[in-house]
Amino acid sequence: MTYADYQPLVVGDVRDEAAGVVALTLHRADGEALPGFEPGAHVDVLLDEEGADGPMVRQYSLCPSPREGAWRVAVLRESDGRGGSAWVHDHVRTGDTLRVATTRNTFPFAPCDDGQRHVFVAGGIGITPLLAMVEAAAAAEADWTLLYLVSSRERAAFADELTALAPRVKIHDRALAGPLHLADALDELGAADARVYACGPARMLAAVEDYAADHPSCTLALERFATGAPAAPGEAAEVVEDTETGRSFTVETADGAEVVVGGDETILAALRRSGIAALSSCEEGICGTCETPVLEGVPDHRDQLLSEDEREANDTMMICVSRCMGERLVLDL
């Protein structure tokens, strides 16, 4: 993805959705409607374009918008984050313009046509991709339930909208009700033989994965915010760096520039060191922002996003983590 893939959108509304969470409504300046999106989709947003280190790219799940033809995202202010969320909270106001890429969906949802139950599990800001799924499940008259885990009611984003869907929505307020035994809660919701969609802190997702592993009839789809070891709710997951990088290799760009990638650096880092601009966000191989077409050579895929078929095709790669199987790669940069 390049800078040309981003369109300017106007911030039409900025709303404090919960403690530490702000929701932005985005629309086109010319009044034309933005395209619809599939539940689970997200967009890449350029932030702080005038910053000393260049623009930041962050991914935000699309939530159903109360304004027709507009998009809505919600951003949690993370005190231990990388600066993007704080910039949104401190700088973005109604009437501002943000450059936003087209929608992508790595967490798709489709109501089951066989009557299988849907169980949605959200933790904190993990509610954002599930809002559209809940709406789609309700519209399809599917059998569904949402379990929403929050540290306190004040931090429950979109609580008013979700409360209107009771009793299918169950909000667990840890400050009020104490810790939740997740496996027991999932049993009560009939998750043992359901299709489960989950998004939230790493520890919560690990618990959901353990539950699914113990119940063969449970099928599971997850959306992760970060890789690494499970973290406690509200904590950032540990980033696990790949130290097995090995030998160096050469990357050639489409216009003939050559960059040697050292054994202890990523392709992304080597390009930046050489003054070649490349967009990225997570730098962990999970968001897809740095996905780059491969013109020649065989990538050593180390991301968590591409399918097996995409890996075998070897015509695209995530340059933040993946490397080269041979001596040379030619990339469409």
Side-chain angles (χ1 to χ4, degrees):
M1 187 175 296
T2 67
Y3 291 101
D5 297 312
Y6 291 77
Q7 63 177 318
L9 296 182
V10 177
V11 179
D13 183 48
V14 179
R15 172 177 172 172
D16 291 328
E17 195 57 55
V21 178
V22 64
L24 311 177
T25 301
L26 307 169
H27 63 87
R28 287 178 46 152
D30 60 9
E32 293 293 320
L34 287 167
F37 58 90
E38 296 297 321
H42 70 272
V43 289
D44 287 16
V45 183
L46 288 181
L47 306 174
D48 196 15
E49 294 188 58
E50 304 302 322
D53 297 326
M56 296 180 284
V57 181
R58 297 292 183 267
Q59 293 74 42
Y60 299 114
S61 297
L62 287 170
C63 309
S65 172
R67 174 173 173 172
E68 186 175 355
W71 290 343
R72 181 172 59 159
V73 299
V75 182
L76 170 67
R77 185 179 193 120
E78 298 180 274
S79 59
D80 55 356
R82 293 173 294 141
S85 66
W87 190 88
V88 170
H89 280 253
D90 293 341
H91 296 280
V92 177
R93 300 292 182 265
T94 297
D96 288 350
T97 297
L98 294 174
R99 288 206 286 169
V100 183
T102 188
T103 63
R104 292 188 290 149
N105 198 345
T106 57
F107 189 38
F109 166 77
C112 298
D113 56 11
D114 58 1
Q116 185 180 25
R117 183 174 181 78
H118 301 78
V119 175
F120 304 101
V121 184
I125 198 62
I127 188 62
T128 52
L130 300 183
L131 283 174
M133 295 186 185
V134 165
E135 184 178 89
E141 299 183 348
D143 182 11
W144 66 274
T145 302
L146 167 68
L147 175 62
Y148 185 17
L149 311 180
V150 295
S151 58
S152 67
R153 184 73 177 194
E154 292 75 19
R155 294 185 173 276
F158 306 106
D160 292 342
E161 296 176 32
L162 292 169
T163 299
L165 298 173
R168 290 188 179 272
V169 173
K170 304 180 185 302
I171 301 178
H172 180 83
D173 179 344
R174 191 177 68 223
L176 182 65
L180 177 74
H181 191 280
L182 187 55
D184 289 346
L186 291 174
D187 278 338
E188 292 177 7
L189 298 178
D193 56 1
R195 177 70 172 168
V196 177
Y197 293 83
C199 183
R203 178 178 289 177
M204 185 202 84
L205 294 183
V208 175
E209 285 184 299
D210 289 344
Y211 180 89
D214 291 337
H215 298 82
S217 296
C218 173
T219 54
L220 178 61
L222 301 178
E223 172 99 310
R224 299 185 188 277
F225 293 141
T227 59
E235 295 178 355
E238 176 187 358
V239 176
V240 179
E241 297 184 356
D242 181 3
T243 57
E244 298 180 2
T245 51
R247 54 178 177 73
S248 62
F249 56 93
T250 300
V251 166
E252 181 180 342
T253 65
D255 60 3
E258 293 189 351
V259 176
V260 175
V261 181
D264 59 350
E265 66 180 343
T266 65
I267 295 175
L268 180 64
L271 291 172
R272 289 176 172 170
R273 170 175 53 75
S274 301
I276 299 173
L279 291 175
S280 69
S281 181
C282 73
E283 301 191 12
E284 299 175 45
I286 62 174
C287 77
T289 299
C290 69
E291 185 172 0
T292 302
V294 178
L295 302 178
E296 294 181 27
V298 180
D300 176 7
H301 296 290
R302 303 187 182 191
D303 65 277
Q304 300 185 44
L305 193 61
L306 294 177
S307 67
E308 288 303 316
D309 288 343
E310 290 170 324
R311 288 170 179 249
E312 291 177 6
N314 284 324
D315 55 11
T316 190
M317 68 184 299
M318 306 302 164
I319 60 174
C320 68
V321 292
S322 298
R323 297 182 65 76
C324 179
M325 295 293 287
E327 301 296 329
R328 189 179 195 83
L329 284 172
V330 181
L331 303 180
D332 189 7
L333 287 166

